[in-house]
mmCIF file of all heavy atoms in Angstrom:
data_model
loop_
_atom_site.group_PDB
_atom_site.id
_atom_site.type_symbol
_atom_site.label_atom_id
_atom_site.label_comp_id
_atom_site.label_asym_id
_atom_site.label_seq_id
_atom_site.Cartn_x
_atom_site.Cartn_y
_atom_site.Cartn_z
ATOM 1 N N THR B 2 76.602 -64.422 6.272
ATOM 2 C CA THR B 2 75.782 -64.101 5.082
ATOM 3 C C THR B 2 74.598 -63.253 5.484
ATOM 4 O O THR B 2 74.283 -63.144 6.681
ATOM 5 C CB THR B 2 75.249 -65.415 4.471
ATOM 6 O OG1 THR B 2 74.498 -66.115 5.405
ATOM 7 C CG2 THR B 2 76.407 -66.274 3.967
ATOM 8 N N GLY B 3 73.955 -62.628 4.498
ATOM 9 C CA GLY B 3 72.741 -61.884 4.799
ATOM 10 C C GLY B 3 73.034 -60.573 5.433
ATOM 11 O O GLY B 3 74.005 -59.878 5.132
ATOM 12 N N VAL B 4 72.146 -60.181 6.333
ATOM 13 C CA VAL B 4 72.213 -58.881 7.017
ATOM 14 C C VAL B 4 72.449 -59.168 8.510
ATOM 15 O O VAL B 4 71.651 -59.873 9.105
ATOM 16 C CB VAL B 4 70.941 -58.070 6.817
ATOM 17 C CG1 VAL B 4 71.045 -56.728 7.518
ATOM 18 C CG2 VAL B 4 70.646 -57.863 5.323
ATOM 19 N N THR B 5 73.503 -58.594 9.048
ATOM 20 C CA THR B 5 73.818 -58.764 10.433
ATOM 21 C C THR B 5 73.703 -57.454 11.172
ATOM 22 O O THR B 5 73.977 -56.385 10.608
ATOM 23 C CB THR B 5 75.223 -59.340 10.629
ATOM 24 O OG1 THR B 5 76.154 -58.445 10.056
ATOM 25 C CG2 THR B 5 75.339 -60.717 9.985
ATOM 26 N N GLN B 6 73.323 -57.527 12.414
ATOM 27 C CA GLN B 6 73.203 -56.336 13.281
ATOM 28 C C GLN B 6 73.854 -56.586 14.617
ATOM 29 O O GLN B 6 73.700 -57.640 15.197
ATOM 30 C CB GLN B 6 71.713 -55.964 13.495
ATOM 31 C CG GLN B 6 71.025 -55.474 12.249
ATOM 32 C CD GLN B 6 69.628 -54.976 12.537
ATOM 33 O OE1 GLN B 6 68.617 -55.535 12.045
ATOM 34 N NE2 GLN B 6 69.518 -53.911 13.379
ATOM 35 N N THR B 7 74.548 -55.570 15.111
ATOM 36 C CA THR B 7 75.131 -55.637 16.423
ATOM 37 C C THR B 7 74.949 -54.298 17.123
ATOM 38 O O THR B 7 74.951 -53.260 16.478
ATOM 39 C CB THR B 7 76.652 -55.956 16.343
ATOM 40 O OG1 THR B 7 77.293 -54.986 15.510
ATOM 41 C CG2 THR B 7 76.887 -57.378 15.849
ATOM 42 N N PRO B 8 74.781 -54.323 18.453
ATOM 43 C CA PRO B 8 74.531 -55.525 19.285
ATOM 44 C C PRO B 8 73.114 -56.050 19.063
ATOM 45 O O PRO B 8 72.277 -55.366 18.457
ATOM 46 C CB PRO B 8 74.729 -54.999 20.677
ATOM 47 C CG PRO B 8 74.273 -53.571 20.609
ATOM 48 C CD PRO B 8 74.679 -53.070 19.236
ATOM 49 N N ARG B 9 72.807 -57.183 19.564
ATOM 50 C CA ARG B 9 71.409 -57.725 19.475
ATOM 51 C C ARG B 9 70.537 -57.117 20.575
ATOM 52 O O ARG B 9 69.366 -56.967 20.396
ATOM 53 C CB ARG B 9 71.442 -59.230 19.591
ATOM 54 C CG ARG B 9 72.111 -59.958 18.419
ATOM 55 C CD ARG B 9 71.307 -59.753 17.118
ATOM 56 N NE ARG B 9 69.909 -60.130 17.259
ATOM 57 C CZ ARG B 9 69.429 -61.338 17.167
ATOM 58 N NH1 ARG B 9 70.241 -62.358 16.874
ATOM 59 N NH2 ARG B 9 68.143 -61.579 17.301
ATOM 60 N N HIS B 10 71.185 -56.787 21.699
ATOM 61 C CA HIS B 10 70.438 -56.162 22.770
ATOM 62 C C HIS B 10 71.286 -55.021 23.330
ATOM 63 O O HIS B 10 72.526 -55.114 23.402
ATOM 64 C CB HIS B 10 70.185 -57.176 23.907
ATOM 65 C CG HIS B 10 69.360 -58.362 23.474
ATOM 66 N ND1 HIS B 10 68.020 -58.369 23.506
ATOM 67 C CD2 HIS B 10 69.766 -59.573 22.977
ATOM 68 C CE1 HIS B 10 67.568 -59.546 23.035
ATOM 69 N NE2 HIS B 10 68.604 -60.291 22.732
ATOM 70 N N LEU B 11 70.589 -53.937 23.694
ATOM 71 C CA LEU B 11 71.312 -52.787 24.250
ATOM 72 C C LEU B 11 70.456 -52.080 25.266
ATOM 73 O O LEU B 11 69.264 -51.792 25.016
ATOM 74 C CB LEU B 11 71.641 -51.794 23.102
ATOM 75 C CG LEU B 11 72.326 -50.496 23.476
ATOM 76 C CD1 LEU B 11 73.705 -50.782 24.087
ATOM 77 C CD2 LEU B 11 72.477 -49.606 22.260
ATOM 78 N N VAL B 12 71.025 -51.852 26.421
ATOM 79 C CA VAL B 12 70.355 -51.070 27.470
ATOM 80 C C VAL B 12 71.185 -49.824 27.691
ATOM 81 O O VAL B 12 72.390 -49.905 27.897
ATOM 82 C CB VAL B 12 70.237 -51.875 28.753
ATOM 83 C CG1 VAL B 12 69.536 -51.022 29.849
ATOM 84 C CG2 VAL B 12 69.461 -53.175 28.554
ATOM 85 N N MET B 13 70.552 -48.669 27.633
ATOM 86 C CA MET B 13 71.305 -47.427 27.817
ATOM 87 C C MET B 13 70.506 -46.409 28.598
ATOM 88 O O MET B 13 69.277 -46.440 28.611
ATOM 89 C CB MET B 13 71.724 -46.854 26.459
ATOM 90 C CG MET B 13 70.586 -46.517 25.553
ATOM 91 S SD MET B 13 71.144 -45.979 23.895
ATOM 92 C CE MET B 13 71.879 -44.383 24.249
ATOM 93 N N GLY B 14 71.220 -45.538 29.258
ATOM 94 C CA GLY B 14 70.603 -44.461 29.994
ATOM 95 C C GLY B 14 70.348 -43.308 29.063
ATOM 96 O O GLY B 14 70.876 -43.250 27.935
#
Side-chain angles (χ1 to χ4, degrees):
Chain B
T2 59
V4 182
T5 58
Q6 291 186 243
T7 55
R9 293 293 308 275
H10 300 272
L11 178 63
V12 179
M13 60 186 289

